[in-house]
Amino acid sequence: MKKNITVEKRYINIPVNNSVPRTHVIIKDLKNQNILRYFDVSLGDEKYNFIAYHDMKEFIGQEIEIEIENDELAEKFFSVLVQSDSPMGLDGVYQEKHRPQFHFSSKRGWLNDPNGLVYYGGKYHMFYQHNPFGTGWGNMHWGHAVSEDLIHWQEEGDVLCPDETGMMFSGGGIVDWNNTSGLQQNEYPPIMLFYTAAGALAPKPCEYTQCMAYSVDGGKTFAKYANNPVVGFTAREARDPKVVWHKESQKWVMALYRGDQEKTFNLLTSANLLEWQIIQEFKFPEGRECPEFFPMALDGCEDNIKWIFMEANGRYLVGTFDGEKFEVETGPFNSFGRYGEGCAYAGQMWSDAPDNRKTMIHWQRGDCQTAEFNQTMTIPIDLSLKSFSDGMRLCVEPVKEFEKLRDASWEFTDVKIKSLGCTPDEFLKIPEGNCWDIELELDNDCEIIINVCGEDIALDVKLREVRMSAAKLPFPAGAKELKLRILVDHASIEVFGGDGRIWYAKRKLTTCTRPVTFPHQNCGSGSLKKVKIYKINSIWKSK
């Protein structure tokens, strides 16, 4: 069924009921029959989980044609569709029962991979895979959020919407400071987003290609490049273009995954960001999708640059790159522990971060158990490349800006446990909550099970490992200090330690308790040299 309407206001609002089947919607320009939007939606009525809002600003005043695939639902669709000047259904947003309080999550709908991360104009721009019409994967748009400190985020709305070339799959972003593309129109150097047009999911299925969108107003608006694709068909489901500048050759370099059939990666180069040439294809043992490719100074020495090639699971290769070929020296290694679905995935680094900073963020996989939104990002992390007795390794730590969220604090020293099966009185005086920053220093005799907001964590110095559920996180050989840092949110636990070589980000529906307890009769023995606990404020309430 088709119906013509005039776009009179900026937003169209559609109630979503996650429990009913989806129907397909296509919106066309009435005059030229060009596809403007298309999506699948589980249509609600008086019963709904949330209201999906969609920005139609560029079409205000135009008459459009809306086609509903399911004729039985068409009348219902048009009866519940509401136009408005501002998004509807956002009362209580960020205050929902299971909303993470210091991990980024989208106001409404599903999110996954971080995309197009750039630092520009004093702000960190984060784009991400977004489904505004449901809490499951699909309808892939690019959402957009900005932050001045990597912690407090302002959601800006979707910037890339599916079109006749396909859904908007993952990719990277850069700032073309020297206008190598020739697209600059004013004082703003172009911000350029490279994405995969997933053609197999288009209204008329076609090949996967790599495309580009750009902004000439400092990231306020984006337009898709008129001569897309910038990289045509290379392989079935080739995807996830990530672009970086190689200063020695004065060329741009793109890392690209060739799809699950081939399971190989390409490197391409370009002088102008618009025309690309494949220079290398190589296999990454068990590597898959969302490549990252970036230089790192070994031990902070800018005269000793190594190049890191990372795949979506966080495994990485270390080598050299001369502008023509990536030569692997060592690896692959795990940059963090990954067990099951609820872990960090598809990490991406910010381009042009201040002081040559190497800062990443990942998708933290795992259902949020909410009806309005689903999935979150990890805490942003800073990377370094260091030499150890067993070779070069990436090290991670939470960004320093996170510490500004700290509030009340408690500190304990020489906490001895002798299978008491109870929690020391001083720990019971801490108020209950589930947003904490916990620092632990373990003694050499530590063999203790602690409970952190419902999650049992075994601290076993004798075996030199930390255990959470099925995960075993080993302290690397030669780790100087047996320290851990545990960040607890409403639905997340992240563990850092081992001189930066342990990072485990787990989706976990935490409980509101005191931050550290010793609830088990056989909780172990030994001592904790130091325990420091900080209550963490919400990013949605403080700044």
Side-chain angles (χ1 to χ4, degrees):
M1 178 178 174
K2 300 178 182 179
K3 184 175 180 179
N4 301 339
I5 68 170
T6 299
V7 181
E8 298 175 340
K9 298 182 179 181
R10 178 170 179 174
Y11 294 93
I12 58 171
N13 301 270
I14 305 166
V16 175
N17 184 336
N18 296 321
S19 63
V20 303
R22 295 182 294 179
T23 189
H24 191 62
V25 179
I26 299 178
I27 301 176
K28 294 182 179 180
D29 170 17
L30 184 62
K31 181 178 180 181
N32 299 312
Q33 288 293 292
N34 295 324
I35 294 177
L36 305 179
R37 300 285 188 268
Y38 62 90
F39 51 88
D40 295 316
V41 62
S42 298
L43 194 62
D45 42 33
E46 67 277 359
K47 295 182 179 180
Y48 62 89
N49 297 116
F50 70 97
I51 296 177
Y53 56 91
H54 195 64
D55 195 340
M56 298 288 286
K57 178 174 61 176
E58 60 188 295
F59 308 117
I60 290 177
Q62 293 186 33
E63 191 172 11
I64 59 175
E65 175 188 279
I66 302 180
E67 180 180 354
I68 311 301
E69 181 180 60
N70 188 325
D71 286 345
E72 294 180 2
L73 293 176
E75 184 175 345
K76 177 180 177 181
F77 179 90
F78 291 113
S79 69
V80 299
L81 176 70
V82 176
Q83 298 191 51
S84 64
D85 294 320
S86 58
M88 295 175 61
L90 291 180
D91 292 343
V93 70
Y94 298 134
Q95 307 306 316
E96 300 89 349
K97 181 178 179 181
H98 298 309
R99 173 74 69 172
Q101 291 301 294
F102 58 83
H103 289 78
F104 175 82
S105 54
S106 190
K107 292 178 181 177
R108 293 290 181 258
W110 163 281
L111 69 74
N112 55 285
D113 306 350
N115 296 153
L117 307 186
V118 298
Y119 181 80
Y120 187 94
K123 293 182 178 180
Y124 293 89
H125 292 256
M126 178 172 65
F127 304 88
Y128 53 91
Q129 293 283 279
H130 184 219
N131 177 8
F133 298 103
T135 54
W137 184 92
N139 298 319
M140 287 294 96
H141 295 59
W142 274 35
H144 183 202
V146 297
S147 173
E148 295 179 354
D149 62 3
L150 290 164
I151 299 299
H152 299 88
W153 293 96
Q154 174 66 45
E155 196 167 333
E156 298 291 321
D158 294 328
V159 296
L160 299 181
C161 301
D163 59 25
E164 67 279 357
T165 66
M167 289 189 187
M168 305 288 100
F169 275 19
S170 292
I174 57 92
V175 180
D176 186 13
W177 296 106
N178 296 318
N179 195 29
T180 59
S181 64
L183 294 174
Q184 185 170 342
Q185 298 178 8
N186 45 45
E187 71 272 23
Y188 299 105
I191 301 175
M192 304 179 72
L193 306 179
F194 293 85
Y195 64 92
T196 296
L201 303 174
K204 295 182 179 179
C206 52
E207 304 288 358
Y208 277 48
T209 57
Q210 316 313 315
C211 297
M212 185 269 290
Y214 64 101
S215 172
V216 292
D217 58 7
K220 296 176 183 177
T221 61
F222 286 83
K224 293 172 181 174
Y225 180 50
N227 294 322
N228 275 331
V230 294
V231 180
F233 173 78
T234 56
R236 182 182 176 185
E237 295 188 2
R239 60 185 184 269
D240 310 330
K242 182 61 172 65
V243 175
V244 64
W245 175 249
H246 184 249
K247 65 179 181 180
E248 289 78 12
S249 64
Q250 292 290 289
K251 287 186 178 180
W252 298 97
V253 183
M254 176 188 292
L256 186 68
Y257 181 57
R258 291 182 62 87
D260 290 341
Q261 282 194 329
E262 299 188 25
K263 292 187 177 179
T264 61
F265 292 87
N266 278 142
L267 291 179
L268 302 85
T269 58
S270 174
N272 62 7
L273 292 162
L274 307 177
E275 301 164 306
W276 294 86
Q277 178 183 2
I278 296 175
I279 60 170
Q280 187 177 358
E281 180 178 346
F282 63 94
K283 287 188 176 294
F284 188 130
E286 300 180 11
R288 182 177 182 268
E289 68 182 7
C290 298
E292 250 293 10
F293 190 50
F294 54 91
M296 292 287 292
L298 180 61
D299 298 320
C301 178
E302 294 295 334
D303 294 328
N304 192 4
I305 298 296
K306 302 296 181 181
W307 281 77
I308 309 296
F309 195 100
M310 184 181 291
E311 52 88 45
N313 290 310
R315 298 170 67 249
Y316 63 95
L317 304 166
V318 184
T320 60
F321 181 64
D322 62 2
E324 296 294 332
K325 188 176 183 181
F326 173 58
E327 293 279 4
V328 178
E329 294 183 333
T330 187
F333 304 113
N334 289 322
S335 59
F336 50 87
R338 178 179 177 269
Y339 298 85
E341 293 299 311
C343 302
Y345 191 78
Q348 195 170 111
M349 181 172 290
W350 267 277
S351 173
D352 297 306
D355 302 319
N356 199 27
R357 186 179 186 182
K358 307 299 184 183
T359 304
M360 296 186 77
I361 197 168
H362 295 63
W363 166 30
Q364 190 173 18
R365 307 202 297 185
D367 285 342
C368 293
Q369 300 182 342
T370 63
E372 302 91 357
F373 68 95
N374 198 1
Q375 310 293 311
T376 65
M377 297 299 179
T378 64
I379 288 296
I381 57 171
D382 282 327
L383 270 67
S384 57
L385 183 64
K386 298 180 180 179
S387 299
F388 295 92
S389 59
D390 53 350
M392 298 176 284
R393 297 291 191 276
L394 284 176
C395 299
V396 303
E397 60 181 353
V399 293
K400 294 293 184 183
E401 290 89 339
F402 178 75
E403 296 176 8
K404 70 172 65 176
L405 296 177
R406 289 173 169 174
D407 195 352
S409 65
W410 299 264
E411 185 170 351
F412 310 99
T413 57
D414 196 24
V415 180
K416 296 186 182 301
I417 301 297
K418 297 180 179 179
S419 296
L420 297 177
C422 63
T423 302
D425 289 343
E426 57 265 34
F427 285 79
L428 295 176
K429 296 177 183 178
I430 302 174
E432 293 187 346
N434 55 0
C435 288
W436 304 102
D437 184 353
I438 302 167
E439 296 179 348
L440 304 174
E441 185 175 349
L442 316 183
D443 210 337
N444 290 328
D445 64 348
C446 182
E447 190 178 356
I448 298 173
I449 298 175
I450 64 174
N451 187 277
V452 176
C453 293
E455 179 75 11
D456 283 344
I457 302 176
L459 313 174
D460 195 331
V461 173
K462 293 179 180 179
L463 293 179
R464 293 187 64 83
E465 68 183 15
V466 178
R467 297 187 295 275
M468 293 176 59
S469 302
K472 293 183 179 180
L473 311 176
F475 279 98
K480 297 177 181 178
E481 298 178 320
L482 298 175
K483 292 183 177 180
L484 288 178
R485 187 173 176 189
I486 305 172
L487 306 183
V488 188
D489 201 347
H490 281 198
S492 167
I493 296 180
E494 296 192 44
V495 178
F496 296 83
D499 296 339
R501 291 172 61 181
I502 292 175
W503 176 36
Y504 181 55
K506 179 179 180 177
R507 293 285 309 150
K508 167 72 176 182
L509 189 61
T510 57
T511 55
C512 185
T513 65
R514 292 175 176 87
V516 178
T517 58
F518 304 82
H520 303 289
Q521 288 296 326
N522 297 310
C523 62
S525 62
S527 61
L528 300 173
K529 285 184 178 180
K530 184 179 291 186
V531 179
K532 194 157 189 179
I533 300 170
Y534 300 90
K535 183 179 181 295
I536 297 301
N537 289 319
S538 170
I539 63 174
W540 312 120
K541 299 177 183 177
S542 62
K543 190 169 183 178

